[in-house]
Amino acid sequence: MYAQMVETGSKGVRDLESMSDQERAFQERVDADIKIEAKNWMPEAYRKTLIRQISQHAHSEIVGMLPEGNWVTRAPSLKRKLQLMAKIQDEAGHGLYLYSAMETLGADRDEEVQKMHEGKAKYSSIFNYPTLNWADMGTIGWLVDGAAIVNQVPLQRTSYGPYARAMIRVCKEESFHQRQGYEILLHMMTHGNEAQKAMVQDSINRFWWPVLMMFGPSDANSPNSAQSMAWKIKRHSNDELRQRFIDQTIPQLQILGCTVPDPDLKYNEETGHWEFGDIEWSEFYEVLKGNGPCNKERVAQRKKAIDEGAWVREAAVAYAKKKQQRNAA
Amino acid sequence: MTRYDDLTELLLQLGDSAMVQAQRLCELVGGAPALEEEVALMNVGLDLVGQARNWLEYAAERINDGRTADDLVFLRDSSDYCNLLLVELPNGDFGVTIAKQFLFDSWHYAMLQSLSGSSDERIAAVATKSFKEVTYHLRRSSEWVKRLGDGTDESHQRMQAAIDQVWHYSFEFSMPTEHLAALEAEGVFPAASTVHERWSETVKAVLSEATLTQPEAAARNYLSGREGLHTESLGYILAEMQFLPRAYPDANW
């Protein structure tokens, strides 16, 4: 999940009777699963929440390029290099159309990016973990993109039209990345040497818990979920999505012949679900606050790119103006 | 370094230049001045790695000692790399990145334009496909040279400084071409002897429109990428790019 703990500014979900006519008409439209479009009236809190969620999602795509950029210069074969470069390109593309979807709500891309650089806007906690071996390129595809897909598939039906439509394209590409990531790991496990197999297990060990944290805190500690669900910005609870992810992932883990670092993991025959141990939520909150292993480096790297590129963007604007004037003359 | 026949060396020069240029682009992930450029950098890079693979597969078949295109990329040392020196230079600021890309693209364009008409069907096919891609690369980098050259005062100064800085390495585009004469005569590399002239025309037109001053023709500096005599940068590029296959020689990725 690339959007975590998105603030809705709501103290509780209101019922239809206590709403103004405009608000009621809006809520009824949402309840009837009719998409809200950019030009439709919407409550200010809905608009702001969506800007926060979509920008967070877009920031995550962009910051998410950095852990992969760390290995793209060291990809071990032409095939793997091409795959990783294409994946990074897709992510930049996802960032672009998510920012565009966000701009339909009246927000400005540069301003929202600035907020992220100032630590006022978040991106997914997962990208604050380092990529330490090549298998991480597989694990990010398989587990990180896998977790993102579990969250994003329902978002294809989210109430805001431009966001829902962006998600349809994003999901298609993410599914491809996930299969590709899994194939990287499976190949290492079935055709690799002992060192490669150890890389895969090490990678899963490091990413497992942070990936489960991607879904956000337990429903009991998720103060914004109810409002987001009423607005259909969110369609399932954090715990529900996390469980869905674990249930689909463990069989794949078994095919790999790997384990996850959770001694409490066990299958419940009655419920048909995998039960798992307690998540260390203090780590999640610390990472979100900026105290993860790579928070400072990730933000600094993004800020440096944008700051150092200022003269380039200014030149492009100046040149476009000159050209316009010449054409007009 | 190991010497091969003229055609194989040409294939290595094309493949290695594309590969090293792409590797430098990979270093820029997350560092572009705008998001649109992140997409463009990987787009160009992907084309170049694809081209490198095509040229090096053919080179590997001709060398015929059991090595694959991957082996050529990941297991040769710098003295066996035949890339242009220009592409191995560090990225520098965006002005230098663009100056390198533009000079490379304009040479690449002239080369592929000729090779598209090669009597060697395989070369003609790869060149024709690559030429389409490089036409876009050249359009993009030319646009950036113009934007930066004719943008603000600062960008003009930076772009001029960038051209001046890397221009020196354009001497390789006009290196003596006797080794290409036979290929030209055979029709394998038609119009090989006019590549430099056509490159020069493109550069002149773009720099002029960009209000930039074209430096004087670059003199030889006693290095030669084609002969495996490189700058000090290439060793570091290869150390990074080849790390995994060298550290785990029996691995299968």
Side-chain angles (χ1 to χ4, degrees), chain B residues 59-224:
Chain B
E61 283 174 33
R62 292 183 61 86
I63 293 169
N64 196 24
D65 62 1
R67 282 184 295 174
T68 62
D70 269 82
D71 293 334
L72 292 178
V73 170
F74 292 100
L75 298 173
R76 270 180 309 156
D77 205 342
S78 61
S79 62
D80 282 328
Y81 259 73
C82 296
N83 61 279
L84 296 167
L85 301 170
L86 175 78
V87 298
E88 66 198 45
L89 302 179
N91 287 319
D93 71 1
F94 193 67
V96 174
T97 301
I98 288 298
K100 283 176 57 188
Q101 184 77 50
F102 168 66
L103 294 181
F104 173 63
D105 290 344
S106 45
W107 170 83
H108 208 186
Y109 181 90
M111 291 286 282
L112 295 171
Q113 195 173 35
S114 291
L115 291 167
S116 298
S118 175
S119 58
D120 180 314
E121 279 177 24
R122 184 151 170 193
I123 289 183
V126 174
T128 302
K129 181 177 180 291
S130 307
F131 182 67
K132 280 186 201 145
E133 296 167 345
V134 171
T135 301
Y136 158 74
H137 302 176
L138 177 60
R139 195 189 322 143
R140 171 183 167 269
S141 58
S142 300
E143 282 304 312
W144 271 116
V145 170
K146 292 179 211 166
R147 277 189 206 111
L148 299 177
D150 193 17
T152 62
D153 288 345
E154 182 188 3
S155 72
H156 177 83
Q157 281 169 23
R158 281 182 182 250
M159 195 62 227
Q160 184 68 58
I163 292 283
D164 293 347
Q165 184 187 324
V166 302
W167 181 262
H168 181 48
Y169 292 91
S170 68
F171 76 86
E172 281 195 288
F173 302 160
S174 61
M175 288 279 270
T177 50
E178 55 273 18
H179 54 277
L180 295 178
L183 294 179
E184 184 167 3
E186 289 163 24
V188 175
F189 191 171
S193 49
T194 65
V195 165
H196 178 257
E197 194 184 321
R198 284 178 286 127
W199 167 79
S200 183
E201 278 165 19
T202 307
V203 170
K204 193 177 163 194
V206 172
L207 292 187
S208 157
E209 203 183 328
T211 72
L212 294 164
T213 308
Q214 183 168 338
E216 283 179 28
R220 263 196 91 156
N221 76 347
Y222 309 101
L223 295 179
S224 164

Side-chain angles (χ1 to χ4, degrees), chain A residues 2-3 6 46-61 94-95 97-105 112 122 155 158 160-164 166-167 233:
Chain A
Y2 286 165
V6 178
Y46 173 85
R47 195 179 67 84
K48 284 191 172 152
T49 302
L50 268 173
I51 291 173
R52 268 192 290 267
Q53 176 160 337
I54 301 174
S55 67
Q56 205 181 111
H57 192 159
H59 300 334
S60 301
E61 295 285 354
H94 295 172
Y97 40 86
L98 283 163
Y99 282 125
S100 299
M102 180 200 77
E103 287 185 322
T104 63
L105 293 155
E112 296 306 316
K122 291 190 286 266
L155 286 178
T158 200
Y160 188 58
Y163 190 28
M167 277 304 106
I233 291 175

Side-chain angles (χ1 to χ4, degrees), chain A residues 31-302:
Chain A
D31 292 344
D33 276 332
I34 302 170
K35 294 273 178 275
I36 305 299
E37 296 299 335
K39 287 184 177 154
N40 296 144
W41 182 89
M42 61 187 81
E44 196 51 19
Y46 173 85
R47 195 179 67 84
K48 284 191 172 152
T49 302
L50 268 173
I51 291 173
R52 268 192 290 267
Q53 176 160 337
I54 301 174
S55 67
Q56 205 181 111
H57 192 159
H59 300 334
S60 301
E61 295 285 354
I62 303 311
V63 177
M65 292 161 63
L66 302 179
E68 293 172 332
N70 184 44
W71 279 95
V72 73
T73 54
R74 291 178 288 171
S77 69
L78 290 169
K79 174 181 159 186
R80 297 303 181 200
K81 200 174 194 81
L82 286 164
Q83 284 177 345
L84 189 56
M85 291 170 78
K87 182 171 192 280
I88 292 170
Q89 189 189 28
D90 284 348
E91 280 152 3
H94 295 172
L96 273 177
Y97 40 86
L98 283 163
Y99 282 125
S100 299
M102 180 200 77
E103 287 185 322
T104 63
L105 293 155
D108 178 76
R109 194 216 292 188
D110 294 344
E111 281 173 26
E112 296 306 316
V113 167
Q114 183 69 21
K115 284 182 196 165
M116 194 249 290
H117 293 175
E118 289 168 2
K120 290 178 194 157
K122 291 190 286 266
Y123 52 86
S124 178
S125 55
I126 195 71
F127 301 119
N128 290 311
Y129 290 86
T131 49
L132 302 178
N133 72 38
W134 169 253
D136 289 358
M137 297 304 101
T139 304
I140 286 181
W142 175 45
L143 293 181
V144 174
D145 291 353
I149 293 165
V150 168
N151 177 247
Q152 288 166 9
V153 163
L155 286 178
Q156 295 177 103
R157 297 184 293 116
T158 200
S159 61
Y160 188 58
Y163 190 28
R165 289 188 288 272
M167 277 304 106
I168 291 172
R169 182 163 165 193
V170 169
C171 279
K172 258 186 217 157
E173 295 183 350
E174 296 279 17
S175 301
F176 181 70
H177 297 162
Q178 191 199 14
R179 283 197 298 276
Q180 211 164 54
Y182 188 68
E183 194 270 331
I184 288 175
L185 300 181
L186 189 61
H187 191 87
M188 287 170 81
M189 292 305 294
T190 51
H191 295 80
N193 60 25
E194 289 311 308
Q196 287 178 287
K197 289 177 191 170
M199 277 180 209
V200 175
Q201 185 59 59
D202 170 59
S203 178
I204 295 171
N205 288 349
R206 282 181 287 110
F207 274 95
W208 179 249
W209 290 111
V211 163
L212 294 189
M213 292 175 200
M214 285 173 70
F215 295 91
S218 240
D219 299 341
N221 298 312
S222 187
N224 301 300
S225 286
Q227 182 63 73
S228 282
M229 302 249 290
W231 281 335
K232 295 191 181 170
I233 291 175
K234 189 171 178 165
R235 310 209 52 142
H236 301 278
S237 78
N238 294 348
D239 285 334
E240 201 180 336
L241 293 172
R242 188 169 12 247
Q243 188 64 54
R244 189 179 296 177
F245 171 75
I246 293 175
D247 289 342
Q248 77 177 33
T249 300
I250 298 301
Q252 297 166 359
L253 176 84
Q254 291 171 329
I255 292 171
L256 281 181
C258 291
T259 58
V260 292
D262 179 358
D264 296 327
L265 185 84
K266 61 174 185 291
Y267 188 67
N268 184 325
E269 293 282 352
E270 276 174 35
T271 62
H273 292 300
W274 285 90
E275 293 172 354
F276 54 100
D278 291 335
I279 293 173
E280 187 64 47
W281 287 109
S282 59
E283 176 177 328
F284 172 74
Y285 290 113
E286 280 303 312
V287 173
L288 226 53
K289 267 199 282 178
N291 301 325
C294 299
N295 296 58
K296 289 177 184 63
E297 290 81 356
R298 299 286 191 239
V299 174
Q301 198 178 340
R302 285 309 306 150

